[in-house]
Amino acid sequence: MARPWEADPHTGFKQRLGKTPQELGITTGTPDCPDIWELANGDIAVIGRDLTRSLGGNLPDGVSIGSDECLVVIPRKMLIAAKPDIPSV
C-alpha cells in the first residue's frame, strides 16, 4: 500500500520560518545550528538534534517512527519565533 504522503527529495528551500539561530542566541555560529524552513513544495524541513534513539523508546501510545524517519528536537524559542510565518490553514 502506498503512503498518502512522501517527502520530495528534489524540492528546494523557499524561506526560513522565524528567526536565524544567531538572532535567537541558540548557536555558536557553527554548522550545527537548528533551523526551520519552508520548502518550495510547501512542506517543512526541520534541522535539529536527532534524538530518535534516546526518546524513540518512550513514545506515547499510537505514535511510531518509521524506518526512514527520525525524531528531531529543536529549541522551543525557535518554534515560537516561527509562529508568525506559519499559515493558519
Side-chain angles (χ1 to χ4, degrees), residues 12-73:
F13 290 85
K14 180 178 177 183
Q15 66 178 348
R16 172 180 278 114
L17 300 180
K19 299 180 180 181
T20 69
Q22 293 81 4
E23 290 175 291
L24 295 171
I26 55 175
T27 184
T28 59
T30 59
D32 58 352
C33 304
D35 223 333
I36 306 172
W37 283 81
E38 179 181 358
L39 300 176
N41 67 356
D43 287 344
I44 306 299
V46 177
I47 302 169
R49 296 293 196 302
D50 181 354
L51 295 185
T52 306
R53 287 178 28 203
S54 59
L55 293 179
N58 299 318
L59 296 171
D61 289 342
V63 177
S64 61
I65 300 171
S67 62
D68 60 347
E69 298 174 328
C70 64
L71 188 153
V72 176
V73 176

Side-chain angles (χ1 to χ4, degrees), residues 1-7 43 69:
M1 178 180 201
R3 291 171 152 177
W5 173 82
E6 284 293 341
D43 287 344
E69 298 174 328

